[in-house]
Amino acid sequence: MSAQADNRAVVERFWGALDDGPPRGAALEAWKDTFAEDAVWEMPFAPEPLAKSVPGRHLIGHFIDWFFDSVPDLRVDSLTVHDTTDPELFVLELRGTATVSQTGKIYANTYCTHMRIRDGRIVLFREYFNPDVVLEAFGHDEIAEGMSSVLAAAGVEVGQ
């Protein structure tokens, strides 16, 4: 297989793990291990107080835990993966739908995502989405509390 085909297989396994909703237990830990140690999860249009960047596999893992706990019935559909001329970079289009457990509101957002795969691991996960949909479903206070819990779980002091 080519490097691009190998990397695309990583992308497809990553999203395939969500076919029945967020993974749990050992499957979730394996899913989080798809991220490289120095990976970055970027959300350039994230509304305050949602982080625009989550650096490192450890912190990404805690972010994923918070997000999946918030949307336990998450379903991803309309997933389309586009190859690029760069064998490490893929552009994805998808839609995510869930009920936010803390607010009871429906979360339904459309994403354009860039994934960069190197040596079988995700080194960059960049999501573009509608920030208004996030704020409406989660609410400012829930996002702030969630981000605080992510940082605390990762052992990061809020002032850092």
Side-chain angles (χ1 to χ4, degrees):
M1 279 173 60
S2 69
Q4 187 165 40
D6 290 343
N7 291 336
R8 186 182 178 103
V10 172
V11 171
E12 290 174 352
R13 278 191 308 274
F14 179 85
W15 290 100
L18 298 177
D19 283 348
D20 295 322
R24 301 284 177 214
L28 175 58
E29 295 310 310
W31 192 80
K32 291 189 290 190
D33 281 345
T34 307
F35 288 90
E37 194 65 39
D38 61 347
V40 178
W41 187 313
E42 294 180 354
M43 299 169 280
F45 298 142
E48 291 293 329
L50 188 62
K52 293 191 183 302
S53 180
V54 182
R57 180 170 58 198
H58 182 68
L59 192 56
I60 290 170
H62 291 290
F63 177 74
I64 289 168
D65 289 341
W66 168 73
F67 184 71
F68 284 172
D69 285 346
S70 298
V71 291
D73 63 344
L74 176 67
R75 290 295 182 259
V76 172
D77 62 48
S78 305
L79 176 65
T80 304
V81 180
H82 302 279
D83 294 339
T84 68
T85 57
D86 179 340
E88 295 183 346
L89 183 65
F90 299 85
V91 176
L92 297 87
E93 300 172 76
L94 59 125
R95 181 168 172 81
T97 307
T99 301
V100 178
S101 59
Q102 297 91 334
T103 65
K105 293 185 177 181
I106 298 297
Y107 176 68
N109 216 335
T110 302
Y111 299 84
C112 178
T113 302
H114 298 173
M115 292 180 74
R116 181 169 294 281
I117 311 299
R118 187 173 299 132
D119 300 323
R121 302 240 187 246
I122 300 166
V123 295
L124 174 66
F125 189 90
R126 182 179 297 137
E127 293 183 300
Y128 297 94
F129 52 80
N130 184 336
D132 295 334
V133 172
V134 174
L135 276 175
E136 175 61 30
F138 284 83
H140 181 275
D141 293 345
E142 180 53 43
I143 294 169
E145 186 177 316
M147 291 310 302
S148 291
S149 71
V150 166
L151 294 173
V156 177
E157 293 188 31
V158 176
Q160 293 184 337

